[in-house]
Amino acid sequence: MNKHWWQEVVVYQIYPRSFNDSNGDGIGDLRGIIEKLDYLEKLGIGAIWLSPVYQSPNDDNGYDISDYEAIMDEFGTMADMDELLAEANKRQIKIVMDLVVNHTSDEHAWFVEAKKGKNNPYRDYYVWADPVDGQAPNELRSAFSGSAWEFDDASGQYYLHLFSKKQPDLNWEKSDVRQAVYDMMNFWIDKGIGGFRMDVIDLVGKVPLEGITGNGPHLHDYLQEMNQATFGQHDLLTVGETWGATPEIAKLYSDPERHELSMVFQFEHIGLDQQPGKEKWDLKPIDIAELKAVLVKWQTELGDEGWNSLFWNNHDLPRMLSRWGNDQEYRVASAKMLAILLHMMKGTPYIYQGEEIGMVNTPITDISQAEDIETINLYHERLAEGYTEADILTSINAKGRDNARRPIAWDASENGGFTTGTPWLALNANYQEINVEAALANPQSIFYTYQQLVQLRKDNPIMIWGDFELVSTVDEVFSYYRTYEGERWLVVTNFSNEAQPFTAEDEISAHVIDNGESVTTLKDITLQPWQAFVVKVN
Ligand code: TEU
Ligand code: CA
């Protein structure tokens, strides 16, 4: 298996709206990112996954694109984008763009044309279907509540939208659609980008009238065609967002012999704190033994037929420090433990903006404080279904996407220095304690643990290429070896609020990293709550 740059770097995800506002309109923007490239260079990351910055009416905050080759006015200009690419490349930081091609905005020129009538040449760029008994064609539901079919009065047909009504699904069975997507991708590749994160790419093979959404029959034909027509000629990072992936399915996407993608985001671990067969809003406590089993499966079952991405957070997920860590009395220790546990595994690690300074969830007390369409639709749907408002807000505070989208605080000044205006979404009230300036000023901060992990990966091939081997422990202790060319590291973490026992026969030959005290022996020790350390054992 030949080696690629995207196996060796740590990727940092930026949600531009909430990263840094350079012009005082309360909305993060491209020039705001340029202003912070030195900070990201200090962190040591090798690539930025940039959430969508294309022209959009922002029904889903940029994941509803009305022009793939123009920059959203609020984020700046194409000249700003070109400058960001140039300035990032000067710092050996690649820019990975977000490719959102399962659907467009309903304000995209293609859909404006398609809605003009059944005979319009763009009509079957989208998925239309006649009513069945005067109703929607089938029971498919939108991820944002309600039916996945929207009735179009003018033509008497429904169109498909697996997300919001303003995000009509593209018809990937039409080769003109695929070619138009590839042409757009090559426009961005010619600009020197580092790759693509592919939004819900497992859905583009859908067969909606048969109720098939993810992993449809032609999905991999399309991806192999896309590879050949665009990035396959370049060494780019391509990561598919594939909610339904198992290791077997992941191999179909990322086995180098298949010439599809570099890797996928799998979400099996992310679904472990929801009641089986229900929605993410139907909560259940995380079981660390279950989490360990899932992560170990992904570490051991891809083999050489694929490559893992490693993440706890993104712009759709609640802050992991609040979700499965302890954001109260053990905020710093548990944040560092989560970082050490993840970054010592095999795969490409992703840091989501604010994770490196230990940002936590931001509870709301009233739905008026929410911004995200998924949350607002859920609130109204469940209210209508008879759920109590208190229960709905409990679910929203645990799983709502706004938790990840609260603006970054750069210092303790008003609005955390994120903006001189009014932030589009209020910051967490703790920004005077949790901000970048405070993190950089404190040698014991979470930031420096992330910086050290990123540097360790650059200096130690074992972190990238080493074999993974689980250590048998009590449920709440997650420990494993990494072994490479005779070198062997032992990772030990206590994923709990309680002291836990641990023992190993190995002798410590060197200390690599820890989140507090360094151990002097591995024999019959007691791990403090959230304690984490890595030692060389030969
Ligand atoms: O997310 C896909 C997706 O399914 C998520 O919306 C998920 O179902 C939900 O957030 C529960 O966690 C991608 C993007 O990451 C997301 O921001 C977009 O809203 C969505 O696709 C549509 O483009
Ligand atoms: Ca701005």
Side-chain angles (χ1 to χ4, degrees), residues 1-9 46-47 89 94-96 189 192-196 227 230-239 256 259-263 307 348 465:
M1 183 173 184
N2 52 2
K3 298 180 177 177
H4 301 273
W5 64 269
W6 39 261
Q7 292 171 298
E8 304 182 347
V9 298
N89 285 334
K94 296 183 185 279
I95 301 288
V96 173
I189 289 170
I193 63 172
F196 294 102
N227 179 301
T230 65
F231 53 83
Q233 331 302 328
H234 311 263
D235 189 15
L236 300 187
L237 184 163
T238 49
V239 52
H259 304 292
E260 292 190 18
L261 306 182
S262 317
M263 66 188 91
W307 189 257
T348 299
W465 311 113

Side-chain angles (χ1 to χ4, degrees), residues 258-270:
R258 291 174 53 86
H259 304 292
E260 292 190 18
L261 306 182
S262 317
M263 66 188 91
V264 297
F265 287 133
Q266 62 84 17
F267 291 83
E268 193 174 352
H269 59 311
I270 293 298

Side-chain angles (χ1 to χ4, degrees), residues 60 63 103 144 197 199-200 241 280 315-316 374 401:
D60 185 15
Y63 282 90
H103 48 272
F144 297 159
R197 175 266 184 181
D199 191 66
V200 288
E241 181 197 24
K280 71 179 194 180
H315 63 290
D316 291 332
E374 180 192 51
R401 304 193 299 180

Side-chain angles (χ1 to χ4, degrees), residues 130-139 151 158:
D130 292 329
V132 172
D133 303 331
Q135 302 295 319
N138 63 27
E139 295 305 306
F151 189 65
Y158 285 83

Side-chain angles (χ1 to χ4, degrees), residues 290-311:
E290 253 187 321
L291 174 61
K292 193 180 335 182
V294 165
L295 292 177
V296 167
K297 178 174 76 170
W298 280 90
Q299 285 290 297
T300 53
E301 289 188 8
L302 280 188
D304 284 342
E305 296 172 74
W307 189 257
N308 274 301
S309 64
L310 304 170
F311 69 96

Side-chain angles (χ1 to χ4, degrees), residues 281-283 378 382 390-400:
W281 313 103
D282 304 305
L283 311 175
L378 177 277
R382 290 205 164 190
D391 286 350
I392 299 169
L393 288 175
T394 298
S395 292
I396 289 169
N397 286 331
K399 293 292 187 73

